[in-house]
Amino acid sequence: MRNAWKWLGLAGAVGVAAGGVVVARDQRQRNAYSADDVRERLHRRHGQAHAPADDAGGDQR
């Protein structure tokens, strides 16, 4: 039973290390954008969110 706890602890440590690798990779991808790139993307997303919807039924007031 003692070996099982050792293996379980080792598996937990490997899982934490793998999670750290995933977080670090994600952070590098986010840092790859320049400030101008981020600003342009935010403006584009804002414009898409506030664009008038295509409604075939017309105004329903």
Side-chain angles (χ1 to χ4, degrees):
M1 187 66 182
R2 195 168 185 198
N3 276 338
W5 287 110
K6 287 181 184 179
W7 284 108
L8 186 62
L10 181 61
V14 168
V16 168
V21 168
V22 170
V23 168
R25 184 183 333 148
D26 184 50
Q27 185 66 30
R28 277 195 309 270
Q29 284 180 331
R30 275 187 269 137
N31 288 340
Y33 294 115
S34 71
D36 291 332
D37 291 338
V38 172
R39 187 176 304 110
E40 187 271 327
R41 289 177 59 157
L42 286 173
H43 282 291
R44 186 171 4 120
R45 286 174 54 191
H46 179 58
Q48 289 172 350
H50 293 289
D54 261 347
D55 242 331
D59 197 8
Q60 302 263 337
R61 286 189 225 179

